[in-house]
Amino acid sequence: MNDQAIKRVVIVGGGTAGWLSAAMLARVVNRSIEIVLVESEDIGTVGVGEATIPPLANLFIFLGIPEHEMLAAVQGTYKLGIEFVDWHRKGHRYTHAFGSPGRDLGIVPFYEYWLKEHLAGRGGSLWDYSLNDLAAQAGRFAPLKQLPNAPMAGLTHAWHFDAGLLAKFLRRVCEAQGVTRREGMVSGVNLRAEDGFIDSLTLSDGAIVEGDLFIDCSGFRGLLIEGALKAGYEDWTHVLPCDRAIAVPCASTQTLLPYTRATAHSAGWQWRIPLQHRIGNGHVFCSAFMAEDEARDILMTNLDGKALADPRTLSFTTGRRKASWVKNCVAFGLSSGFMEPLESTSIHLVQSGMTRFLKFFPDKGFSPLEIAEYNRLTAHEYELIRDFLVLHYKATQRDDSEFWNHCRTMTIPDSLAHKIDYFREHGRLIIEEADLFRDTNWAQVLIGQGIIPKSPSPLTLTVSDEKLGEYMANIRQLLSAAVAGLPDHGAYVAQNCRAKI
């Protein structure tokens, strides 16, 4: 049996994807398997994934990484959600806040009771009941697991960070766990003649790096999974048409905000990610509807402060590999697929992909049946996230540009169309176990994008208008008091995780 055990894993590519994959693998195998990561300082990393979602915080607990230590090393800040500006229509904004608004009553989610009030012209905004959004808009943050003296959940958070600094931080973590870094550029991938599996890599200096299992974190090009093994690519440009991003950092000029902002423009959108030392900005756009020069001008005229570098352009095709695991190679990060950073899912897909892979961790037999099941689950995860992203583009009233007319009228996946139609009836949602985004996430974006159900769940009628009004007023009062008790986000960061310059 030992002859069949994986003894050496080779990871191609560093960056966040490579070093996070190495950290997770090293933590699980605990030095029982040799892990070698090959990267070249001559190859830059994309570095657009500077915002995250809450599951990453749980992963770092598993990895034994203290939050404050990590944030200080990566110029990090806290994130309570994403503010969407001008998506539903110009002049409109809403937040996809982490955590659930209000407090559910029995089996009926809180947003259904809010809907009952809303359709009757009462109750205010759904986000009046979101602790995360209220704290975000007030610029406040501190860890809060539960509201004081109330059976309501506290804040749910993620992070913003400098992706380049995070890769360096994770490298130190990995090397302390026994991972070996090999400097070099891969010039050749050597396949076994008998079965087409990867046997070894040839580096530009002529060195040979052998392995039993290879992990491709080489970025968009997919050096192993596509370049050598020809996995194929499923193009989703027909529903996620943006194919360019121009990124530039700028100086901070405002209060340190604890949320990401995504502002829709005439042929795409602009991200704003606040870090301790700068603001990360980027304009994601569709080259079929806007020239690069115009996109750059829009970005540069919408910065908060002075640009700190020249803007750089990235080209991409939204979609996924037809197979993320082929023979003895599995791909994570951009090598596996790309769905623009609208909901900060890129780093999460590395996390979830490696988590899934560890459950399927192979021996040298590389069972085709297990590989096929891994690929099926991975493809479905990508499709569920794709639908959530497409929702932002499809559900809009904007008709001020050809791009938005295209998005508003485009044919969308049947799975998404059914979910929208189902929600329109009674506000109910079809959420699969594999869906990263749960009912509270879908409800916020659907309502924020202007899709209001015809009526709430009939079960909401079991609560009288008077009692419901009192219940919701009480929630607002509790949330207001909780936010007032939180410190300023910038002050909390400065006191607990100030960057080491």
Side-chain angles (χ1 to χ4, degrees):
M1 291 293 291
N2 265 352
D3 291 341
Q4 286 295 300
I6 299 291
K7 296 182 175 64
R8 195 170 204 245
V9 177
V10 178
I11 301 172
V12 175
T16 304
W19 287 113
L20 185 61
S21 298
M24 294 178 68
L25 181 60
R27 182 70 170 178
V28 171
V29 303
N30 194 26
R31 298 178 186 263
S32 64
I33 296 174
E34 183 183 4
I35 304 171
V36 178
L37 187 145
V38 179
E39 68 173 343
S40 171
E41 293 181 355
D42 295 334
I43 300 176
T45 55
V46 172
V48 298
E50 294 180 329
T52 62
I53 55 178
L56 189 64
N58 294 327
L59 173 61
F60 274 45
I61 293 172
F62 168 73
L63 294 176
I65 297 174
E67 179 176 81
H68 289 171
E69 177 186 334
M70 181 274 296
L71 290 175
V74 301
Q75 296 280 356
T77 64
Y78 288 90
K79 175 183 174 183
L80 297 175
I82 306 172
E83 182 184 54
F84 288 93
V85 180
D86 295 340
W87 282 81
H88 171 44
R89 63 177 185 274
K90 278 191 171 183
H92 177 269
R93 63 181 60 207
Y94 72 94
T95 302
H96 174 199
F98 302 143
S100 300
R103 181 170 181 263
D104 296 348
L105 286 173
I107 64 171
V108 181
F110 174 82
Y111 72 82
E112 290 270 25
Y113 287 98
W114 169 84
L115 179 60
K116 178 187 177 185
E117 291 287 276
H118 175 74
L119 292 174
R122 302 185 296 266
S125 162
L126 176 63
W127 292 273
D128 292 341
Y129 305 91
S130 167
L131 177 63
N132 265 53
D133 186 50
L134 292 170
Q137 298 303 325
R140 295 173 179 265
F141 175 82
L144 183 66
K145 291 185 177 180
Q146 184 173 327
L147 262 63
N149 305 314
M152 290 183 65
L155 291 171
T156 302
H157 74 267
W159 307 308
H160 305 115
F161 48 63
D162 182 310
L165 292 178
L166 180 70
K168 293 178 181 178
F169 178 84
L170 289 173
R171 173 183 169 181
R172 294 193 295 272
V173 171
C174 289
E175 289 179 329
Q177 295 261 351
V179 176
T180 300
R181 179 188 181 275
R182 181 72 179 268
E183 168 66 28
M185 188 176 298
V186 176
S187 60
V189 181
N190 309 308
L191 305 181
R192 297 197 307 232
E194 65 271 23
D195 56 14
F197 278 56
I198 298 176
D199 180 65
S200 63
L201 309 175
T202 301
L203 304 188
S204 55
D205 63 0
I208 301 295
V209 180
E210 297 179 329
D212 302 316
L213 169 66
F214 294 81
I215 296 177
D216 190 343
C217 296
S218 63
F220 288 121
R221 59 182 178 154
L223 181 64
L224 308 185
I225 197 74
E226 188 63 42
L229 298 177
K230 312 299 180 187
Y233 197 80
E234 187 170 309
D235 186 335
W236 287 342
T237 306
H238 59 292
V239 288
L240 290 170
C242 291
D243 59 357
R244 299 285 189 278
I246 304 175
V248 66
C250 76
S252 300
T253 60
Q254 296 184 11
T255 303
L256 195 61
L257 300 178
Y259 58 91
T260 304
R261 179 178 293 140
T263 302
H265 292 314
S266 59
W269 61 279
Q270 181 171 331
W271 76 74
R272 180 192 185 279
I273 298 174
L275 306 178
Q276 292 187 44
H277 64 319
R278 62 174 173 83
I279 298 173
N281 308 276
H283 186 186
V284 178
F285 67 100
C286 178
S287 63
F289 293 94
M290 179 174 286
E292 186 174 324
D293 288 347
E294 182 183 0
R296 185 183 299 107
D297 289 344
I298 290 173
L299 172 63
M300 301 303 285
T301 56
N302 284 281
L303 300 180
D304 286 9
K306 179 183 177 182
L308 300 178
D310 293 330
R312 59 194 183 104
T313 302
L314 307 165
S315 299
F316 58 85
T317 301
T318 50
R320 63 169 181 84
R321 298 288 171 207
K322 292 181 178 178
S324 292
W325 184 354
V326 178
K327 301 182 185 295
N328 63 336
C329 175
V330 63
F332 299 124
L334 301 177
S335 299
S336 181
F338 184 72
M339 292 181 289
E340 61 170 82
L342 184 59
E343 285 283 355
S344 309
T345 51
S346 294
I347 293 174
H348 175 79
L349 284 166
V350 177
Q351 174 185 348
S352 63
M354 176 55 86
T355 300
R356 183 180 306 111
F357 179 69
L358 288 168
K359 293 177 181 178
F360 283 80
F361 195 81
D363 57 22
K364 291 181 183 178
F366 290 99
S367 164
L369 191 64
E370 292 177 348
I371 291 174
E373 179 63 8
Y374 173 90
N375 285 327
R376 184 189 70 81
L377 294 172
T378 300
H380 190 49
E381 178 185 36
Y382 269 79
E383 288 162 359
L384 290 169
I385 294 173
R386 174 204 63 193
D387 284 2
F388 191 64
L389 300 184
V390 173
L391 170 64
H392 298 67
Y393 289 98
K394 175 66 175 179
T396 182
Q397 291 182 359
R398 289 192 60 160
D399 59 1
D400 54 292
S401 71
E402 291 183 17
F403 172 79
W404 287 110
N405 285 334
H406 166 78
C407 293
R408 194 184 67 256
T409 59
M410 67 183 174
T411 301
I412 58 176
D414 291 343
S415 51
L416 175 58
H418 179 59
K419 189 168 286 188
I420 292 173
D421 290 343
Y422 194 76
F423 181 77
R424 287 185 191 277
E425 292 299 313
H426 288 101
R428 295 178 176 132
L429 283 158
I430 303 168
I431 304 296
E432 299 183 32
E433 183 179 352
D435 207 326
L436 166 64
F437 296 106
R438 313 310 296 172
D439 56 358
T440 184
N441 308 111
W442 278 92
Q444 287 184 78
V445 175
L446 283 159
I447 292 168
Q449 294 286 149
I451 297 179
I452 305 298
K454 301 172 186 174
S455 60
S457 164
L459 287 177
T460 61
L461 300 176
T462 62
V463 180
S464 70
D465 291 348
E466 182 181 359
K467 286 188 177 297
L468 182 57
E470 292 175 358
Y471 179 72
M472 297 182 75
N474 185 45
I475 289 177
R476 289 197 301 270
Q477 185 176 2
L478 288 170
L479 295 179
S480 178
V483 171
L486 294 170
D488 173 77
H489 172 235
Y492 179 84
V493 169
Q495 183 176 351
N496 294 280
C497 44
R498 184 190 296 273
K500 302 170 183 176
I501 300 175

